[in-house]
Amino acid sequence: MEQDSTLFFDKATVIGITKKALQIAETLSAAGIEVLLVGPDKEQTEAAIAGIGESIDREIQRWGMTESDKRAILARITPTDKLESIGECKVVVEAMGLNFQDKRDALERVEQSCPGSLDLYVIHISTLSVTEIAGNSSLRDKVIGMHFLEPVPKIPVVELVRGLHTSDQTVEVAKQLAKRLNKTAVEVFEYPGGYSRSYRRAH
């Protein structure tokens, strides 16, 4: 039975303050999801959130958003530099960049922080292997790649990259998250060194 996505994803953690991470945080918040944004230190993370506000200001100038939209989006994003403080998290999106070891380290820290509560661990990915990043983690069945196309708030498609150990349940939860963000989820195939854009299925 299909889950109602409106019942889930009231909170999410985004790891990273890259351009893509900030766009993902904005998109989650715009969908009504409370976002904990994890950066290297609180000062940089607060500055990154201010950058989201500046990006929204440009949309306001183009009549694409309102001041009310901006206030609501920023109010739902909280900065932190302590990944271990994320608590009983259910959804984590890692978007730190392209460094393999950084991605592996982030997963290990989340594994230590909220192993029992997590429903979905998203790696924002373009070329790296989901399977290799997940490794032997106890969370590897909850790990999936999601490639958000830029600009994230506007592009209505997200690519899902399933790792070798990604469960069917995790794929369905990822699709529900995409639905909550008003995006079409398209599954693509992983292969050594990246993944193929031979689309398997669209919803």
Side-chain angles (χ1 to χ4, degrees), residues 98-109:
L98 298 177
N99 185 281
F100 176 87
Q101 194 58 50
D102 286 346
K103 289 178 176 291
R104 174 68 69 81
D105 290 347
L107 176 58
E108 289 178 357
R109 291 171 67 190

Side-chain angles (χ1 to χ4, degrees), residues 155-198:
I155 301 298
V157 174
V158 61
E159 296 172 330
L160 302 184
V161 188
R162 182 173 185 159
L164 180 62
H165 302 290
T166 305
S167 70
D168 291 341
Q169 174 65 20
T170 296
V171 173
E172 289 306 313
V173 174
K175 289 177 181 177
Q176 289 293 330
L177 177 60
K179 180 180 178 181
R180 174 67 181 270
L181 302 180
N182 293 316
K183 296 188 182 299
T184 298
V186 179
E187 290 184 61
V188 297
F189 294 95
E190 182 182 62
Y191 68 92
Y195 60 86
S196 167
R197 283 187 170 84
S198 298

